[in-house]
Amino acid sequence: MKKILFTVALCAMTAGAFASNSTLAETAGEDINYGDPTASFSTFGVSRSGDATQLNGMLGIGNNIFQLDLGIADKKTSEGKLDYNYRGRYFHVTDGLGFSVDVLGDRNSTTALAGMIYKFQVTENVMLFPMLSVGRTAADEAGKQTFKSTVYQAGLYGMYAFDAGHWLYANPKSTYVQQAKEWVPQVEIGGGYMVSDVVSVGFKVEHTAETEYLKKDTTGWLQANYYF
């Protein structure tokens, strides 16, 4: 049973970040690429996988960014209940350095994380963002908490920003779950294309490697965003 709860808790950590990546906008007279995870902008979007839909919203107010994602699976749980996941985030960024606080989870688990990210402008079009987070995760069954652990996550987000505002990115990362004494390697790749000045479409593929407690898993998503 602990293996199942460990899987639930880890999936909750990775289920919420369906993307407010987008394309080109003008802020304070400077062109930015919305694929930049440290950029402040506002958007509303939808993401779709083979068996779930997620609504994505983000509001950028200067250096302060507020984000909310809500995902709902096509099928209900084995108990006939709605299967959902969520993520709420507050993000503060200054000169490429960002600090975030996240609360995310699903019907059976909750995770709280604090993290930081830094932007390295390698060339005009190539950017690298090392990331580090730490937090606590807990999962329960029948209303009783049966799994809890400290978690650590390190990753590197690399992005190529096209001059026209399109982007491609790769985000390898690894999560250490202290109670399970296990590293879980993951990688996410994706990109986006600007359809108009305020609309983009994109894709994302997430892959989790096989470990002692987890089977390998690959999920693909299609995305669309509107910017305002």
Side-chain angles (χ1 to χ4, degrees):
M1 182 59 64
K2 283 189 176 182
K3 291 185 178 182
I4 296 174
L5 293 171
F6 168 66
T7 303
V8 169
L10 184 68
C11 287
M13 284 189 64
T14 59
F18 304 126
S20 17
N21 293 330
S22 189
T23 56
L24 201 62
E26 189 169 302
T27 300
E30 180 183 358
D31 287 341
I32 61 172
N33 189 293
Y34 286 152
D36 180 344
T38 62
S40 177
F41 59 91
S42 298
T43 183
F44 178 78
V46 60
S47 303
R48 175 68 190 174
S49 70
D51 58 4
T53 301
Q54 188 176 67
L55 300 178
N56 315 117
M58 193 169 89
L59 178 65
I61 305 175
N63 293 335
N64 301 295
I65 303 169
F66 303 88
Q67 185 175 349
L68 180 64
D69 301 314
L70 177 63
I72 301 175
D74 294 345
K75 297 182 179 179
K76 295 184 178 181
T77 66
S78 56
E79 294 82 18
K81 298 180 179 180
L82 190 67
D83 192 5
Y84 64 86
N85 64 72
Y86 64 90
R87 180 178 196 142
R89 161 178 281 194
Y90 168 71
F91 190 64
H92 181 81
V93 59
T94 304
D95 296 330
L97 178 63
F99 300 92
S100 63
V101 177
D102 294 75
V103 177
L104 60 155
D106 56 23
R107 177 172 290 280
N108 298 307
S109 66
T110 303
T111 300
L113 292 169
M116 61 184 300
I117 182 173
Y118 189 76
K119 175 180 178 178
F120 289 97
Q121 188 83 39
V122 181
T123 70
E124 184 177 348
N125 299 95
V126 177
M127 288 166 268
L128 296 176
F129 305 82
M131 303 179 296
L132 184 64
S133 299
V134 61
R136 292 284 292 178
T137 188
D140 60 73
E141 183 187 21
K144 295 182 179 180
Q145 188 178 98
T146 53
F147 180 91
K148 58 182 178 180
S149 178
T150 300
V151 290
Y152 307 90
Q153 188 177 84
L156 179 66
Y157 183 101
M159 185 186 76
Y160 184 87
F162 294 88
D163 293 339
H166 321 307
W167 77 96
L168 291 171
Y169 74 91
N171 181 201
K173 54 193 172 184
S174 189
T175 304
Y176 182 73
V177 183
Q178 191 171 51
Q179 181 174 325
K181 296 181 173 60
E182 182 171 66
W183 285 97
V184 181
Q186 298 170 295
V187 63
E188 176 186 323
I189 61 173
Y193 185 86
M194 192 66 180
V195 178
S196 73
D197 290 342
V198 294
V199 176
S200 73
V201 294
F203 75 98
K204 180 174 71 170
V205 178
E206 300 170 311
H207 176 73
T208 299
E210 185 172 0
T211 69
E212 180 182 354
Y213 291 99
L214 292 174
K215 294 182 179 180
K216 65 180 179 181
D217 180 72
T218 302
T219 303
W221 294 83
L222 295 177
Q223 302 168 326
N225 279 77
Y226 173 78
Y227 310 100
F228 54 92

